[in-house]
Amino acid sequence: MNPETSNFIKEHLTDDIHRLALQSARYPLVDMDFAIRQIAGKQKIKAKIPLFYQTENILFPQQLSLEQSSSESTAKYKSTLCEGKTFADITGGFGIDCYFISRKFSEAVYVERNEELCQLTTHNFRQLGADNIEVIHADGVDFLNKTPKVDCIFIDPARRGKGGNKVFRLSDCEPDLEQIYSLLCEKASQIVVKLSPMLDIQLALKSLPGTKEVHIISVENECKELVFVIHNQIFTKTKIRAINITKEGEYRLFEYFQQEENDCLPEFATQPGQYLYEPNTSILKAGAFKLISKRFEAQKLNKNTHLYTSDHLNTEFPGRIFEIIEVTGNSKAELKKLKTNYPKANINTRNYPLSVAEFRKKTGITEGGDIFIFACKNMKEENIMIIAKKINQEK
C-alpha cells in the first residue's frame, strides 16, 4: 500500500464508497479498488468488531469473508468455552474467532486454504500483538491428518452451496463434519463447532454424539449462531445453553438438559393475567417452551402459542415483559374498534392465521408507537388480541 492510498483511506473513512468509486480518475496514484475495500471494511466492523476498528493498520478481506466472520461479542463468548494450552482453528477466515480464542492459549494455529487471507491475517495478528498464533496456508482437513494432537480445535464449516446459496444441514457444509468427526476426536480433546442458527439442533446431535453442550447465541435478541462443544466421548445428556448478549455485553443465560423439557408439565392460562412474557430468541430456538413456564412461574397461553402470562411481575424473565392493557376478541367489530383505539402499534402474530403484513392490511393499523398488539390463540383455541406496553428491555 503506497502512501497515497494510505492517506486516501484515512481521509475518506466515513464517505460513501459508491461515490468514491466514481472518482477514481481524480486519484491516479491511489489503488482505488483496494482503498474502497478497506473503507467499506472499516465502516462495517465499527460496531461489529470494535477492537479491529480501533487498531491501526488492520486490513480487510473481500466482502463475503467479512460478512461470514463472527462479531467481537460472540467470539469473546466462544473463548470462554475453550480450554487447554494448544489450539487450532482449521477454518481461519478473517481470523476473528481465532484471535479472541487464542488469548486463552499459549500456542495457537490459524489454518486457511485461501492464500490472500493468510497474508492478510498474518499482517493483522502482528498489528494486534498476537505473537502466539502461527499462520498456516493449508486445507484444514489435510492439516489435521498431518498434525499432532492439540487440546482444542475450532471449526466453522463453510455454509455456502452451489451458486453461493446458504445451506444449513451438516452434510451440506464444507468440510462435512459427519465425514471428519472421527478425525476431529482423534486430534483433540475438545472440539468447538460454530454452525448456522437455522440448523435443526436435535438432528445435529444425532450426528455429533460427543456433544457435551449446545450454545444458542443471540446478540441483543437476534439469534446469531449455534456452538456445539464436543469431547471425544459419548454423552447421554447434552446441556442446552440459551445465551443472549446484551448491548452492555452482559450474558443472560438459560440452561437445561433436554430431558427436563421433555418431562415438564407447564400450567396453561384460562385467560391472560396482568403481565405478558415473550422469551428471547435463543430460548425460542432452543425449544424450551415448557420449562420456561415452570422456571418463571408464568402460564402458557396455548400449547403452540409461545407467550406466557402471570398476575405477578417477574423481572428476571429472560425476554421481553409487557403490562397488559386489555384483551379483545377477533370479530370484525372488535378489529374495527382496535383500529380506532390503536391506529399505530407494533404487531406480533403468534399461532394466528394471518402474518403481520396480512394483519396490518386487514386492520389498517400502521407501524410504530409504544403500543404492542399480540394476535394469538388462547387455551380454548380462540383468536384473541392482547394489547400491551413494554416495561423492560430484553434479557
Side-chain angles (χ1 to χ4, degrees), residues 140-151:
V141 178
D142 290 344
F143 168 81
L144 282 184
N145 280 310
K146 298 172 185 176
T147 193
K149 185 174 180 179
V150 295
D151 293 324

Side-chain angles (χ1 to χ4, degrees), residues 271-272 276-277 300-302 304-309 324 326-330 335 338 347-354 359 373-387:
Q271 61 184 9
L276 184 73
Y277 303 89
K300 212 168 188 298
L301 291 184
N302 177 286
N304 298 310
T305 300
H306 306 313
L307 294 170
Y308 305 80
T309 187
I324 295 175
E326 65 171 312
V327 180
T328 73
N330 193 57
L335 290 179
L338 192 70
I347 306 297
N348 290 269
T349 58
R350 297 290 180 87
N351 190 24
Y352 184 79
L354 300 180
F359 184 88
I373 297 175
F374 290 86
C376 58
K377 277 189 171 58
N378 63 13
M379 191 55 191
K380 298 177 182 178
E381 296 295 327
E382 299 167 332
N383 292 322
I384 61 171
M385 307 294 122
I386 300 175
I387 300 90

Side-chain angles (χ1 to χ4, degrees), residues 28-78:
L29 297 179
V30 173
D31 182 342
M32 191 59 76
D33 287 343
F34 179 81
I36 287 175
R37 190 170 89 184
Q38 301 315 305
I39 292 168
K42 199 84 168 175
Q43 291 174 353
K44 191 172 186 65
I45 68 155
K46 185 174 183 179
K48 185 178 182 181
I49 318 164
L51 178 63
F52 279 49
Y53 180 82
Q54 294 158 8
T55 303
E56 288 287 330
N57 299 320
I58 293 292
L59 298 180
F60 301 96
Q62 299 293 341
Q63 190 74 7
L64 181 60
S65 295
L66 200 55
E67 287 176 356
Q68 292 177 335
S69 71
S70 294
S71 66
E72 182 170 322
S73 60
T74 59
K76 283 181 175 178
Y77 177 77
K78 288 192 284 284

Side-chain angles (χ1 to χ4, degrees), residues 74 109 133 166 186 195 199 223 254 259 318 330 347 362:
T74 59
V109 179
I133 305 176
K166 291 184 179 181
E186 176 190 329
L195 294 166
L199 184 78
C223 198
F254 183 84
Q259 197 59 45
N330 193 57
I347 306 297
K362 182 175 181 179

Side-chain angles (χ1 to χ4, degrees), residues 210-252:
T211 303
K212 183 179 181 182
E213 298 173 348
V214 176
H215 298 252
I216 301 120
I217 307 173
S218 291
V219 178
E220 295 181 52
N221 207 23
E222 182 180 350
C223 198
K224 293 292 187 179
E225 56 194 57
L226 305 182
V227 175
F228 283 54
V229 179
I230 300 167
H231 290 250
N232 50 9
Q233 57 186 291
I234 294 175
F235 288 92
T236 55
K237 293 169 66 177
T238 298
K239 180 167 281 189
I240 310 294
R241 306 187 84 200
I243 304 291
N244 184 41
I245 304 175
T246 68
K247 190 175 182 178
E248 296 73 30
E250 297 176 351
Y251 300 150
R252 304 294 189 181

Side-chain angles (χ1 to χ4, degrees), residues 322 325 344-346 368-373 387-391:
F322 302 84
I325 298 170
K344 180 182 283 190
N346 304 281
D370 58 358
I371 294 294
F372 287 76
I373 297 175
I387 300 90
K389 278 192 174 185
K390 191 167 70 168
I391 60 175

